[in-house]
Amino acid sequence: MRDKKVEKLIKSEEKRQAKGLELIPSENYVSEDVLKANGSVFTNKYSEGYPGRRYYGGQDFTDAVERLAIERACKLFKCKYANVQPHSGAPANLAVYAALLSPGDTVLGMDLSHGGHLTHGHPMTLPAKIYKFVNYKMKNPDTGEIDYENLRKIALEHKPKIILAGFSAYSRSLNYKKFVEIAREVGAVTMADMAHIAGLIAAGVLRNPFDDGFDIITSTTHKTLRGPRGGIILTREDEEIAKKIDKSIFPGIQGGPHMHTIAAKAVAFGEAMTPKYKAYAKQILKNAKAMAEVFKKNNIRMIGGGTDNHLILVDVFGSLGVTGKEAQTALDEVGITLNMNSIAGDTRKPLDPSGIRFGTPAITTRGFKEKECAYVAELMITVLKNKDDKKIKEAVHKEIKKLAKKFPIPKKFV
Ligand code: DSN
């Protein structure tokens, strides 16, 4: 690269990723093919519109690559329509709201502190300023069970136009059938934000909400799905809904699609169709269970009591008297990256909450199996219990570096 300053920063980030262990459950490593497509000359092209209906010339190859991404997304997630243009998850969710709601209409989504996402109605977000959001919660944070009775009660009372299932910090499975039943009772559209678990659904190791009758799925493409940073909106079968969503993305809230990202999405969807990817997805779940088992054995409280998916949410403050921020910092110091997270009923502030959230998608990409994951969990607990002990932290850091060296970030997945 001619720009030495930027090149140096890229190299430093490369080193950071190689030397440490990534446990942020929404992060992953992409293949060199995804990286290549994402850094391709498609970045030079404007292509407002959709394949066959663009507002600029020179679209032979953009049309072909977008069609390919759509075809693969539909096959992967078993649906009729896909919009592959959302720049990420937040615009994907906003586009669905804008497509189906009028200002002031109601959406029923999961409470942020119980695992939902900011875009599911946090008062600071734009959607919450336009639409009304009401929230459902878990019945019991120690089992993670959703309070479906109350969800139905809220739905009957508020008559939402959209009932939204999905989360960014919830470790159990949702009962999609119940959501669909309640939505049909109140005449709502069902939308699943599966950003965290899209890859696990694509691989068939977690249930596909479409199989239970969900109307719409939104997702990012860069988490378990292991593609470029981006978003998608899938519609099971309703052409009218799909048309409204297309208009909502363009010209509604976005301009030119990022064709280089769409090319990279097509590559990632292709990779996710392979038997190797299915094995990867299975291993993510096994690895998360192996880590949860260690926390359980050590009597450390997990929200939901364990995990059915790729992530674990631990109440470090309640169990060990260590705040989420302290835990994040101490683990950062030994080469483990994760994030502090609020937990249900948290009395602490979001910038220093009671919990930490971590998961296995990235370390599974590196080839970690249950044995290594259980060991990492043990090391994490050692650090959490000795967060001010320099010597212990140095010893753990050595172990983490050894593991990182033994399991380099792969470049090819298929
Ligand atoms: N920021 C993502 C996460 O970490 O879960 C969700 O948008």
Side-chain angles (χ1 to χ4, degrees):
M1 254 175 106
R2 282 172 208 273
D3 189 326
K4 293 298 165 201
K5 278 190 181 161
V6 174
E7 185 181 44
K8 197 172 160 212
L9 292 171
I10 293 173
K11 290 257 178 274
S12 301
E13 176 60 15
E14 242 171 51
K15 240 189 227 164
R16 186 195 69 81
Q17 292 188 14
K19 285 193 165 170
L21 296 188
E22 188 52 71
L23 291 190
I24 294 176
S26 46
E27 292 188 16
N28 213 332
Y29 310 108
V30 298
S31 68
E32 68 182 4
D33 286 354
V34 167
L35 214 49
K36 203 169 172 188
N38 210 31
S40 70
V41 291
F42 275 122
T43 197
N44 298 336
K45 191 73 197 106
Y46 253 129
S47 46
E48 269 104 328
Y50 289 98
R53 292 177 287 128
R54 309 273 193 196
Y55 292 85
Y56 292 77
Q59 304 293 345
D60 292 355
F61 308 110
T62 46
D63 275 5
V65 84
E66 186 165 347
R67 283 198 176 104
L68 187 63
I70 291 170
E71 185 192 309
R72 288 183 180 173
C74 289
K75 199 168 166 203
L76 203 53
F77 293 100
K78 299 191 270 176
C79 60
K80 268 194 169 168
Y81 305 99
N83 187 308
V84 296
Q85 294 192 2
H87 296 326
S88 198
N93 286 348
L94 175 61
V96 175
Y97 303 147
L100 303 181
L101 305 174
S102 301
D105 280 348
T106 302
V107 181
L108 174 54
M110 192 151 164
D111 188 271
L112 181 69
S113 69
H114 282 235
H117 188 251
L118 281 170
T119 56
H120 303 172
H122 189 280
M124 296 279 280
T125 61
L126 179 66
K129 296 187 199 307
I130 306 173
Y131 312 108
K132 187 179 160 204
F133 285 83
V134 284
N135 295 133
Y136 57 87
K137 293 181 173 180
M138 289 179 274
K139 194 175 190 171
N140 176 1
D142 286 316
T143 62
E145 194 198 344
I146 299 292
D147 193 343
Y148 290 103
E149 241 172 72
N150 197 43
L151 195 159
R152 179 171 176 266
K153 217 174 113 194
I154 303 171
L156 289 168
E157 186 188 334
H158 292 275
K159 299 266 178 298
K161 290 258 168 69
I162 294 176
I163 296 186
L164 172 52
F167 48 81
S168 60
Y170 180 73
S171 62
R172 290 303 190 184
S173 303
L174 296 175
N175 186 338
Y176 298 124
K177 275 196 184 118
K178 279 234 163 88
F179 280 92
V180 170
E181 257 170 48
I182 297 168
R184 294 210 172 129
E185 202 178 341
V186 299
V189 169
T190 37
M191 166 181 173
D193 176 348
M194 60 173 193
H196 265 258
I197 54 172
L200 304 170
I201 290 170
V205 301
L206 286 187
R207 203 162 169 77
N208 186 337
F210 283 149
D211 288 342
D212 290 322
F214 262 67
D215 301 303
I216 299 164
I217 288 177
T218 58
S219 182
T220 50
T221 48
H222 47 270
K223 298 184 172 94
T224 44
L225 200 45
R226 219 161 52 176
R229 303 197 81 79
I232 41 169
I233 307 173
L234 310 166
T235 307
R236 182 167 51 92
E237 60 172 22
D238 190 320
E239 194 182 353
E240 282 314 302
I241 291 182
K243 277 186 182 164
K244 283 183 187 167
I245 286 170
D246 282 353
K247 279 193 193 137
S248 183
I249 281 287
F250 176 81
I253 65 166
Q254 287 189 179
H258 295 175
M259 295 313 301
H260 55 300
T261 312
I262 289 174
K265 286 175 190 174
V267 174
F269 299 156
E271 289 177 355
M273 286 171 183
T274 60
K276 266 195 174 170
Y277 185 83
K278 190 172 171 115
Y280 161 66
K282 272 189 189 162
Q283 193 64 47
I284 288 178
L285 298 186
K286 286 188 198 166
N287 285 351
K289 281 197 170 48
M291 292 187 89
E293 205 46 50
V294 175
F295 279 84
K296 196 172 167 189
K297 258 195 238 151
N298 282 271
N299 292 317
I300 296 175
R301 179 174 180 244
M302 287 172 284
I303 307 303
T307 185
D308 295 328
N309 55 34
H310 64 302
L311 74 81
I312 296 163
L313 189 58
V314 165
D315 177 4
V316 277
F317 190 67
S319 304
L320 302 164
V322 179
T323 72
K325 193 177 180 180
E326 287 169 344
Q328 179 184 296
T329 306
L331 289 162
D332 235 342
E333 283 165 7
V334 302
I336 292 176
T337 321
L338 46 63
N339 65 279
M340 56 184 164
N341 216 100
S342 293
I343 58 170
D346 211 330
T347 50
R348 302 186 59 81
K349 295 249 159 28
L351 273 174
D352 194 8
S354 298
I356 52 169
R357 184 190 70 153
F358 55 94
T360 53
I363 50 174
T364 307
T365 294
R366 285 178 95 139
F368 279 48
K369 296 278 191 317
E370 292 96 312
K371 189 175 136 215
E372 291 81 24
C373 288
Y375 184 47
V376 171
E378 301 278 4
L379 293 174
M380 285 169 73
I381 293 169
T382 302
V383 172
L384 292 172
K385 287 184 173 167
N386 300 280
K387 70 173 177 57
D388 299 317
D389 190 321
K390 254 184 137 184
K391 267 202 177 142
I392 290 182
K393 282 197 289 186
E394 265 168 26
V396 171
H397 200 176
K398 259 192 197 158
E399 288 302 293
I400 297 296
K401 278 192 207 151
K402 262 197 240 163
L403 276 170
K405 203 168 174 194
K406 191 169 168 201
F407 293 88
I409 299 168
K411 292 195 182 323
K412 289 190 174 76
F413 301 154
V414 289

